[in-house]
């Protein structure tokens, strides 16, 4: 029953999210969309309550109860950022807003981004560990709580692995693509720098016709009053 409820809560999360964004940007009803989006945390409350009742009724703690705690922790830590990310893309696609900026990919900016993600995983782990510990105290410390303690170990292992991955981006920052040297744009009729232009030898002397190298002699002006053209 717990596994089916987790699946239902996950499906309900995406249904409420899609409905809230559609109502906001297609129907232009902002208040109704806020109400739909605020209803999403109620799914986690229902899951938590059903899990507690199941344990109270004498159900033996199992892996499904630990999965429920991990799911609630993940939703608490990453749910809001997921909604905000999808809201930005919906505003761009449906509302004409600017495209949301992409997360950084290189250098220290990428390391800071990965560090923020790890802090969210830290929050998710803290919530999951607290719920698992509360379930252990609720049931009573004994051999029956071994699955819950195993989940605590799994949560800590996930947190450590994610932390090591995030640390690699700080110790070995990812470098961006190298940009080649800018080549000067060629001007029509002008030879590239370092190459002789048409009609010029490498030594700088012209190789064209004499008329191209020497100016043509100018004709003398003849006066109309002088037959010989002399004034």
């Amino acid at each position: 029953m717990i596994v089916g409820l987790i699946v239902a809560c996950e499906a309900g999360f995406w249904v409420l999210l899609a409905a809230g964004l559609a109502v906001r940007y297609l129907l232009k009803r902002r208040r109704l969309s806020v109400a739909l989006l605020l209803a999403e945390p109620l799914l986690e409350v229902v899951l938590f309550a059903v899990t507690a009742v199941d344990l109270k009724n004498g159900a033996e703690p199992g892996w499904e109860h630990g999965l429920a705690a991990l799911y609630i922790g993940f939703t608490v830590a990453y749910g809001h950022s997921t909604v905000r990310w999808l809201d930005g893309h919906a505003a761009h696609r449906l509302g004409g807003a600017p495209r949301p900026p992409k997360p950084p990919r290189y250098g220290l900016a990428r390391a800071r981004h990965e560090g923020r993600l790890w802090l969210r995983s830290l929050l998710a782990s803290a919530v999951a560990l607290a719920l698992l510990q509360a379930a252990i105290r609720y049931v009573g410390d004994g051999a029956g709580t071994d699955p819950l303690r195993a989940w605590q170990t799994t949560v800590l292992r996930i947190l450590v692995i994610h932390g090591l991955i995030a640390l690699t981006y700080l110790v070995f920052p990812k470098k961006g693509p190298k940009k080649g040297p800018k080549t000067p744009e060629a001007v029509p009729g002008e030879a590239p720098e370092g190459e002789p232009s048409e009609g010029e030898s490498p030594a700088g002397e012209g190789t064209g016709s004499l008329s191209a190298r020497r100016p043509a002699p100018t004709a003398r002006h003849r006066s109309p009053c002088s037959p010989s053209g002399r004034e």
Side-chain angles (χ1 to χ4, degrees):
M1 182 182 68
I2 300 298
V3 177
L5 185 59
I6 293 174
V7 175
C9 288
E10 179 68 12
F13 173 84
W14 292 105
V15 169
L16 288 175
L17 179 57
L21 296 178
V23 167
R24 171 174 294 187
Y25 295 106
L26 296 181
L27 301 182
K28 308 298 182 183
R29 300 183 63 179
R30 186 176 182 83
R31 291 184 178 180
L32 180 57
S33 69
V34 171
L36 290 172
L37 295 177
L38 290 178
E40 291 179 346
L42 295 178
L43 299 174
E44 281 67 49
V45 175
V46 171
L47 178 60
F48 175 76
V50 172
T51 304
V53 170
D54 189 47
L55 292 174
K56 183 179 180 180
N57 291 335
E60 183 178 355
W63 64 271
E64 63 273 10
H65 299 96
L67 181 61
L70 184 61
Y71 175 80
I72 293 174
F74 178 84
T75 306
V76 169
Y78 284 92
H80 178 69
S81 61
T82 302
V83 172
R84 185 174 57 185
W85 181 77
L86 289 175
D87 179 67
H89 283 274
H92 169 65
R93 295 288 184 180
L94 304 177
R99 181 186 297 272
K102 294 182 178 181
R105 299 176 58 186
Y106 308 107
L108 293 179
R110 175 65 182 271
R112 287 191 293 267
H113 174 71
E114 295 294 333
R116 286 190 293 266
L117 291 179
W118 181 81
L119 290 177
R120 292 186 181 276
S121 295
L122 178 62
L123 175 59
S125 300
V127 172
L129 291 173
L131 292 176
L132 289 169
Q133 188 62 32
I136 292 173
R137 289 180 176 272
Y138 184 75
V139 175
D141 196 359
T145 59
D146 289 345
L148 300 179
R149 294 189 181 279
W151 268 106
Q152 287 182 325
T153 304
T154 301
V155 170
L156 292 175
R157 187 180 294 114
I158 293 173
L159 181 63
V160 171
I161 293 175
H162 189 185
L164 292 176
I165 293 175
L167 187 61
T168 58
Y169 287 94
L170 179 62
V171 179
F172 308 103
K174 190 176 180 180
K175 298 181 180 180
K178 295 182 179 180
K179 297 181 180 179
K182 295 183 179 180
T183 56
E185 297 181 358
V187 179
E190 182 178 344
E193 185 178 355
E195 296 183 7
S197 60
E198 183 179 359
E200 183 179 352
S201 65
E205 299 180 357
T207 57
S209 62
L210 293 177
S211 60
R213 289 185 294 168
R214 300 178 182 177
T218 56
R220 295 182 179 179
H221 177 70
R222 295 183 180 183
S223 172
C225 300
S226 172
S228 63
R230 299 179 180 177
E231 296 181 358

